[in-house]
Amino acid sequence: MSEPIKVATINDIDEEEAIVIDDDVTGYGAPIAIFHTEDDEFYALDDTCTHAVASLADGWMEGNEVECPMHAGKFCLKTGKVLCMPAVEDVKTHKLEIRGEDIYLYPGTPAEVEA
């Protein structure tokens, strides 16, 4: 498991918005997007769509889904699973931990998904 990195506070990301954490901060090798849902949940995914090179943080959020701004492929924020074409490959998730007001990211460690 990677070491956690403080990347933001919960007030840094408006509901239904996302921020991008560059790979020079995380050492992961690719940018990671942190999403804040309307249900006040936070999720982290690789920022780049698996179908085409587009930032998922620039996409549209609805509930626990994000839609790629380029070709409308959708992904589950909780699991990274593809929800519709043209994307066919899941996007990687990353573990987040909220400590008080602070958001800690574990780059490269998959999110723990409750069954």
Side-chain angles (χ1 to χ4, degrees):
M1 180 186 326
S2 63
E3 291 294 316
I5 301 168
K6 181 183 171 194
V7 292
T9 68
I10 59 174
N11 295 320
D12 290 336
I13 312 170
D14 292 334
E15 285 185 11
E16 297 190 321
E17 295 291 332
I19 62 170
V20 177
I21 310 300
D22 290 324
D23 56 337
D24 61 339
V25 172
T26 66
Y28 174 67
I32 297 172
I34 312 284
F35 297 88
H36 184 181
T37 70
E38 63 188 355
D39 294 330
D40 211 27
E41 297 290 332
F42 292 87
Y43 299 100
L45 299 174
D46 279 4
D47 183 47
T48 306
C49 178
T50 58
H51 169 255
V53 180
S55 170
L56 292 177
D58 290 339
W60 299 274
M61 291 178 57
E62 186 172 335
N64 291 320
E65 300 176 0
V66 62
E67 181 178 317
C68 176
M70 187 173 283
H71 295 117
K74 288 186 184 179
F75 300 89
C76 176
L77 293 173
K78 290 182 179 185
T79 65
K81 299 282 185 200
V82 170
L83 300 174
C84 78
M85 305 245 327
V88 294
E89 182 182 337
D90 298 340
V91 70
K92 292 181 181 171
T93 64
H94 301 271
K95 180 180 177 180
L96 286 180
E97 185 177 1
I98 307 298
R99 300 180 191 171
E101 301 283 312
D102 297 329
I103 301 173
Y104 284 82
L105 172 68
Y106 291 77
T109 299
E112 298 168 0
V113 179
E114 296 179 17

